[in-house]
Amino acid sequence: MRTQVGIIGGGPSGLILSQLLHLQGIESVVLERKTMDYVLTRIRAGVLEQGCVDLLREAQAHERMDREGYEHDGFNIAFQGECHRVDLKGLTGGTGVMVYGQTEITRDLIEVRRAAGGTIIEEAEVLGVEGAETDSPVIRYKKDGQEHTLICDFVAGCDGYHGASRRSIPSTLLKTFEKVYPFGWLGIMSETPPADHELIYTRHERGFALCSMRNENLSRHYIQCSLDDSVDDWSDDRFWDELRRRLPENVADTLVTGPSIEKSIAPLRSFVCETMRHGRLFLAGDAAHIVPPTGAKGLNLAASDIYFLSRGLIEFYKSGSEAGLDTYASKALRRVWMAERFSWWMTSLLHNFPETGGFGSRMQDAELDYLFGSKAALTSLAENYVGLPYE
Ligand code: APR
Ligand code: PHB
C-alpha cells in the first residue's frame, strides 16, 4: 500500500493531522494499534487552550465542542483552607479556556474522518519505520498476524510515549530529557455534580488535589498518591474521605460523592525528545514529549505540534518548499519547552515533596502568598495557563 502521509497512532494528534491534510487534498492513512472503540475508553484531561479550540474548528470537528463544551473564565487554587481565584479572562485581556474531554474530541475526530471516507486501519501494530532518510520511507506493521508495509512520502509519528516511531530513530541521534516525580495521581470519574463551576487545584500538607469536571453531572477528581499504591487500595469511600480532607472546608462540606465509574493511577513525568525530526519522519504529541498533568498541557501541546507540522506538509504539497518542514522541530520545541517549564512549575508549587522538608514546604507557601499578592505574578500564571501563542 502507498499513501502520501503515513500517520502512526489514532489518538488526537494523528486524527487532527489526517483531517487537516484531507481538507487540503492530501491523502493519509492512520495506523492504530488498538480498536478505535478501545481508544475511546481512555480518559484523559479536558482543558483546551484557545489555539487547540481554533485548530479543532479548522479541522471541522468543532460542532459538538461548541455546543457541549464549557467556557471557563477562571479557575481556583486552594491553600491554607481557602480558595483563591485566578481570573484568566481579566488577567489576559479576554482569553479563557474550554472544558471539553479529550475522549469526546477523539470521538468527534473519528466521526469526521469516517464521514470523509478517511482510512483508519485499526489493530495495526507498527513495528518500525525504515528509510526515513530517503524520499519514500516505509512503515512496517502487523495486522491479523501478518506483516504489511505502507510506503509514504512522509511519516508522522503520533503514537504516544510508548509508540514505535521514536524507537525507529537511531539511538545515537536521539536527544532526550526526563524528570520523574516521586508520586502519582489517582483519578476517579463519577456521575456527580462538580465541586464548583470552575476547577479547584489544591495544595495541602496531605498532598495535592484537583476537582475537575466534564459536565453538570460528571466530575473528574484527582489526589496525589504514592507510586506504590494500586487502585485496589483505594475504595471509593477512602478516595472521597481523603479528597474531603484536602479541600477547603466549605468545598468539602458541599461535595457530592457517588460511585466511581472509572479509577486509575498515573505516574507523573516530564520528558522531551528534541529529535522531533529524522529525515522524513516527524514526531508529534506524546511521542515527542510528556508533561505532568498539573498544567493541563498534554493535549494542547499535541495541538500546537500538529499546527506546525500540518502547515509544513501543506506548504510542501502546494509549493514543493520544505521550509516549513525544516523549521517544524525548532518551532514546536520552543513551545514545548515553555509548556514543560510551566507544567513543572505548577507541579512543584502544588504537590507534597517530602524530601524537600520543611524548607521546601515554606518556599511553596511563600510563592503562593506572593502569587496572590502580585498582579504581575498572576498574569504570568494566567497567560501560560490559557496557552502561549503559536509562533
Ligand atoms: N502502532 C500503532 N499505533 C500505536 C503504536 C504502534 N506501535 N503505539 C501506540 N499507538 C497508538 C496508541 O494506541 C494511541 O491510540 O498511538 C496512539 C497515541 O495516542 P495518544 O497517546 O493519545 O497520544 P497523542 O495523540 O499524541 O495525544 C496527546 O494524549 O496522552 C495524552 O496527555 C496527552 O492529552 C495528550 C494527548
Ligand atoms: C481533567 O479534567 O482531567 C484535568 C483538568 C485539569 C488538569 C488535569 C486534568 O490540570
Side-chain angles (χ1 to χ4, degrees), residues 167-175:
R167 279 187 275 116
S168 298
I169 301 177
S171 57
T172 48
L173 299 178
L174 276 183
K175 201 166 179 192

Side-chain angles (χ1 to χ4, degrees), residues 86 90 106 112 178 181 185 219 257 277-278 307:
V86 180
T106 310
V112 291
E178 184 173 46
Y181 299 84
W185 275 20
S219 295
T257 63
R277 176 190 190 170
H278 173 55
Y307 172 88

